Structure formats: C-alpha cells, structure tokens
Amino acid sequence: MAFELPALAYAPTALEPHIDAKTMEIHHGKHHQAYVTNLNAAIAGTDAEKLSIEEICKNISKYPMPVRNNGGGHYNHSLFWTLMAPNAGGNPTGDLAAAIDKAFGNLDEFKKQFATAAATRFGSGWAWLCVKEDKSLCVCSTPNQDNPLMDIAECKGTPILALDVWEHAYYLHYQNRRPDYVGAFWNVINWTKVAELYKNAM
Ligand code: MN3
C-alpha cells in the first residue's frame, strides 16, 4: 500500500505565533507531500511497498538514495507534527522528567544540549532526543533527512523528540535566526506525546 500524508491534528494557525500558519501549510502540504510522493515512486513495484516506514528506515543501507531521503523525510515529518500542539509547552513530568534529570542533570541542561545540537547542525538536518539501546536518553543531530532509526546513523536510538532545522521549517518567519526558532519550539512541544513515545520505547 502506498504511503499517505497524515493529516495534522490541529489547524495550521494553531501554533502561532511560534510557528506561523504559512510555514505550516507549505511545510506539511508541499514539503512533506513531496517526500510521500517521491517515496512511493522510489519503492513502486518493490518489496518495500509491504513494509512500514520504520522497517524501511532500520535497513536503509539496502536502499538507494531516493528511498533514504524521501523515506527519512516521511518518517521524520510524520513524527514531528505529533510532537507539537496548541496550548502546549510547559515541562515534562513523571518518568520522562526523571529520565531527563538522570541523563542531563536537569531540564535546563537538556534544553541547552538539544538547542546546541539544533544550532550546530551545519546545513539541513534534525535534532533529536532518543532512547538508546541501553534505555538511557541521548541528544544528537543528523544531516539531511537521516534519523536515528537508520542503520547508517552515527547516533542510533528510538526518537522521542525531533526538531526540523531545515530552513524550510523556519525561514519565512525567522529568516536566518535559527536559534530564535529553536527557542520558540519549547512553547509548542507536546510533552504528553513525548512521554508516550518514551514509555513505548522502554
Ligand atoms: Mn521539513
């Protein structure tokens, strides 16, 4: 079955003023749609049509570049939309908060490391919070549309928080001010979803 663009769970205006509606409309409706369309074209008639996007990512070294770029693009964005919500932000709680304290010392130190990973990723890519194989948390970044599920990734793990730092994610509103966009992201993080992903990964 062909992959499909997932609908947003909120209106494109819902994350304003932190993420503007025009960016959301183009990012979801044009960029993500293009990854889906190109992924379907790249796997048409192959066994990959029967696989989940996670299964494809985990064995990405077996596929040609169009599958890596567009498959990564589809997985990453599908996750990203669910990690944001209107009237969100605040702080994580419960087991997730305890795991963040254990791995990074405290929430502010985690935020600092995540923001640094996002700011220092040269060119286009993503910043991540992942659950590693040993069940500890780590922050890292990947280039282009790679992600930590991929067998070729330098940092491997199950992503539970993701931030798109491609210019298409912020340029209309923030222009070259990527750190301002990263700062605004804390106001829209859906910590309930992050906590659910953390629980599933444990
Ligand atoms: Mn993007």
Side-chain angles (χ1 to χ4, degrees):
M1 209 181 97
F3 290 104
E4 288 176 7
L5 181 70
L8 292 176
Y10 41 82
T13 53
L15 304 180
E16 290 193 337
H18 309 294
I19 314 278
D20 66 283
K22 193 77 186 165
T23 294
M24 286 301 296
E25 282 168 7
I26 297 170
H27 198 180
H28 175 259
K30 304 290 185 190
H31 290 277
H32 189 174
Q33 179 63 64
Y35 296 123
V36 171
T37 301
N38 294 335
L39 172 63
N40 286 332
I43 63 171
T46 74
D47 291 344
E49 282 186 307
K50 300 185 194 75
L51 300 176
S52 70
I53 193 60
E54 288 84 1
E55 288 170 316
I56 291 173
C57 286
K58 284 175 183 172
N59 293 293
I60 205 70
S61 61
K62 295 179 183 159
Y63 296 94
M65 269 323 262
V67 178
R68 177 169 162 182
N69 289 335
N70 295 291
H74 178 47
Y75 172 84
N76 297 350
H77 289 86
S78 298
L79 177 67
F80 184 49
W81 310 132
T82 69
L83 296 170
M84 299 185 288
N87 308 311
N91 293 333
T93 55
D95 291 346
L96 174 62
I100 287 173
D101 287 347
K102 190 179 173 196
F104 307 102
N106 55 58
L107 182 66
D108 283 344
E109 182 58 27
F110 157 67
K111 285 172 138 183
K112 204 165 97 184
Q113 290 188 27
F114 187 87
T116 299
T120 58
R121 165 50 57 190
F122 184 76
S124 298
W126 290 74
W128 305 95
L129 174 64
C130 292
V131 177
K132 291 194 290 188
E133 206 170 28
D134 68 4
K135 303 298 180 188
S136 66
L137 294 180
C138 74
V139 160
C140 66
S141 74
T142 53
N144 305 313
Q145 294 294 357
D146 288 356
N147 63 55
L149 283 184
M150 291 181 172
D151 57 359
I152 47 82
E154 276 178 41
C155 66
K156 287 190 193 61
T158 304
I160 63 170
L161 182 64
L163 179 59
D164 188 343
V165 295
W166 283 56
E167 282 189 347
H168 69 223
Y170 62 87
Y171 205 86
L172 285 181
H173 188 72
Y174 293 97
Q175 291 83 48
N176 62 329
R177 305 187 311 277
R178 188 191 287 185
D180 291 356
Y181 160 71
V182 175
F185 180 59
W186 302 114
N187 297 304
V188 295
I189 294 181
N190 181 357
W191 285 111
T192 306
K193 181 67 183 180
V194 182
E196 178 193 317
L197 293 171
Y198 174 70
K199 197 175 160 204
N200 293 345
M202 294 304 287

